[in-house]
Amino acid sequence: MVQKAKILLVDDRPENLLALEAILSALDQTLVRASSGEEALKALLTEDFAVILLDVQMPGMDGFETAAHIKRRERTRDIPIIFLTAINHGPHHTFRGYAAGAVDYISKPFDPWVLRAKVSVFVDLHMKNVQLREQAQLLRRELESSGIQSTDAERRAGGLLPELSARLAAVEEQAEVLSKEVAESGGSAAVSTAAHLERKLAGLRRALDALQPGAGEATSVDSR
């Protein structure tokens, strides 16, 4: 069973949170409410989120300050933030949002279809990253588990590598499709995130290829 991604909704007005839930419910992911910046930071201490929808105008800690705290934490600095605001003070205000670490800045009232599509892109990227980490962890557990003799480890790795390679190929194919979709409809931040995912996949593919039987001999022949 595929675990659902978590989306953090931050707004001090309950009616706005209710509206966001109605718009994003079609994505069939886990929606988590936070009614303040402080509450959002508390949720981020223990939960992993695919994307954060953050209202700018909130009493106490506003969206800009909340984003600054999120980006200072190593655990949360890479989570995409989409700012939502009911006011528009021009380019300077928008620039402040991007400077605070936002990947997008949307003014209210917004098109529900556009918002859902933007959030969907980051959910897909998050799920691909989760798959990549799981594949890497599986390989690491098999190759680095203590107490396994060298020959036994080689035998286990020999049987595991083809399966991992096939799984990685499926993720690579999905990432390629996603990158094409992002290039056609996503913003520059989404394109950059997709490129980062592709680089991670390429690194894992090189690592798996290096572990294949005969990889060392092929490298030696090529180097002559």
Side-chain angles (χ1 to χ4, degrees):
M1 183 176 179
V2 178
Q3 186 175 5
K4 295 182 179 181
K6 293 181 180 179
I7 303 170
L8 182 59
L9 313 177
V10 189
D11 198 305
D12 63 296
R13 299 175 67 88
E15 62 270 25
N16 290 343
L17 291 172
L18 187 62
L20 288 174
E21 288 175 338
I23 292 170
L24 300 176
S25 60
L27 297 180
D28 193 27
Q29 305 299 326
T30 302
L31 306 177
V32 178
R33 284 188 175 201
S35 58
S36 66
E38 291 85 355
E39 189 175 336
L41 294 176
K42 184 177 180 180
L44 287 162
L45 287 173
T46 56
E47 303 288 346
D48 292 323
F49 292 94
V51 61
I52 302 169
L53 273 63
L54 180 57
D55 184 43
V56 172
Q57 297 295 115
M58 294 187 294
M61 183 183 295
D62 66 12
F64 296 130
E65 187 178 355
T66 303
H69 282 288
I70 293 171
K71 293 303 177 181
R72 280 199 292 265
R73 293 178 178 177
E74 183 176 356
R75 173 186 171 88
T76 58
R77 64 179 55 164
D78 294 325
I79 301 176
I81 298 174
I82 298 177
F83 271 134
L84 305 176
T85 178
I87 58 176
N88 187 356
H89 293 309
H92 177 74
H93 195 74
T94 303
F95 175 77
R96 186 182 175 191
Y98 288 119
V103 297
D104 212 335
Y105 194 98
I106 303 178
S107 297
K108 303 174 185 176
F110 44 77
D111 186 329
W113 293 93
V114 171
L115 179 64
R116 189 160 48 238
K118 288 177 180 291
V119 172
S120 178
V121 168
F122 291 108
V123 167
D124 287 342
L125 288 172
H126 173 77
M127 299 301 287
K128 299 299 184 297
N129 272 308
V130 169
Q131 287 181 309
L132 179 59
R133 288 197 299 268
E134 289 176 349
Q135 303 299 342
Q137 289 171 359
L138 177 60
L139 178 63
R140 192 176 300 114
R141 283 196 300 268
E142 288 292 330
L143 298 182
E144 297 181 356
S145 56
S146 60
I148 298 179
Q149 298 297 325
S150 177
T151 55
D152 192 21
E154 291 174 0
R155 177 178 59 79
R156 291 188 180 210
L160 177 66
L161 288 176
E163 179 185 351
L164 281 177
S165 182
R167 290 184 183 182
L168 180 57
V171 177
E172 288 171 331
E173 183 178 352
Q174 293 172 351
E176 183 178 356
V177 173
L178 179 61
S179 295
K180 290 179 180 178
E181 293 176 354
V182 168
E184 294 174 357
S185 60
S188 58
V191 172
S192 177
T193 304
H196 180 63
L197 173 60
E198 288 186 334
R199 288 194 295 271
K200 283 187 174 182
L201 287 170
L204 184 54
R205 171 59 68 188
R206 288 193 297 270
L208 283 175
D209 289 344
L211 291 170
Q212 296 287 351
E217 290 81 350
T219 302
S220 177
V221 171
D222 291 340
S223 65
R224 286 201 297 267

